[in-house]
Amino acid sequence: MTLSSTFLDRLRSLSRRRPPVAWRRFLAGALVLLAALTAFWPDVGHPAVAAARDLPAGVPLTADDVRVVSLPTPLPGSFSGASDVLGRALSSPARAGVPLTDFDLAGASDDLASVAVRVADQGLADVVRVGSRVDVVSASAEVLAENASVRETRGQVVVLTLPRLNATRVAAMSLDHALAVTLR
C-alpha cells in the first residue's frame, strides 16, 4: 500500500470537502455584486432616425428635420443614420419624435403615383389598413391595377400608390364611380 495518490484522487478528495465559510461568503458577495451591476447596466438601445419636429409631406428632409434616437427594440424598416434619409421626401406628414421608416419615405421612382380612391363598400374600407396590398376593380369587373400599396385611409377614401399608367386610369374611373378593392 502506498501513500502517494494520483492527481484524480486528489481532485476527488478536494471536491468532497466543503469550502471554508470565508470562501463561501466571498463568493456570495461577488454574485450579489454581479447581479447588481447587471441590473443597473444601461441598455444602449437601437438607433433610429426620428422627426425632430412636425414635418409636412413632400418636402425634402434636411439635417434640421431629423435626429437619431435610441429605441429599446429594433424597428423594422428604420434607418440608423440621418444621412440615409437626407434629401428624401416624406410620403405623409410625420409628428415630432416619431421614428421614420422606409414606408414613410416617398419612393424614389418616377413611375409611381398616389391616387385617392373612393371605395364602394364602407365595410371593406374599414378593413383596409396602411401597408396592405390591394387590386383595384371597376364596376364592370375590369381590373384597373394590381398589387397597389395602401398609403392612407380616411373613411371611405383610400390613398393608393401604384404605377403611374394605372394611377391615371384609376383616377379617371374614380371620378364617376366608387371602385372596389380586393385584398391580397
Side-chain angles (χ1 to χ4, degrees):
M1 177 153 132
T2 63
L3 293 176
S4 68
S5 59
T6 64
F7 177 74
L8 285 175
D9 290 337
R10 289 182 184 177
L11 191 60
R12 282 187 202 123
S13 71
L14 285 175
S15 67
R16 289 184 204 133
R17 280 194 234 162
R18 288 186 69 181
V21 173
W23 176 248
R24 285 184 289 175
R25 287 183 180 162
F26 172 75
L27 186 59
L31 288 174
V32 167
L33 183 62
L34 181 64
L37 284 174
T38 305
F40 294 110
W41 195 267
D43 183 14
V44 293
H46 302 276
V49 175
R53 58 185 174 84
D54 289 349
L55 299 171
V59 178
L61 296 172
T62 65
D64 295 333
D65 295 332
V66 296
R67 62 186 168 103
V68 177
V69 297
S70 181
L71 300 176
T73 59
L75 180 64
S78 65
F79 301 95
S80 59
S83 62
D84 297 335
V85 299
L86 295 181
R88 296 182 66 185
L90 291 173
S91 60
S92 61
R95 291 273 183 204
V98 174
L100 303 176
T101 65
D102 54 355
F103 190 73
D104 297 320
L105 299 177
S109 175
D110 288 335
D111 62 337
L112 294 178
S114 293
V115 64
V117 174
R118 188 173 23 110
V119 180
D121 183 11
Q122 178 62 42
L124 183 60
D126 293 338
V127 173
V128 175
R129 299 281 180 246
V130 173
S132 298
R133 304 296 261 177
V134 297
D135 295 336
V136 183
V137 183
S138 70
S140 62
E142 177 188 1
V143 177
L144 301 174
E146 294 180 349
N147 202 22
S149 173
V150 177
R151 284 288 183 192
E152 190 174 343
T153 61
R154 296 223 175 157
Q156 217 168 339
V157 176
V158 177
V159 178
L160 304 173
T161 300
L162 44 120
R164 189 170 298 283
L165 178 65
N166 293 13
T168 306
R169 289 179 56 212
V170 169
M173 291 291 272
S174 69
L175 292 174
D176 297 329
H177 308 326
L179 300 175
V181 293
T182 58
L183 293 170
R184 283 189 158 248

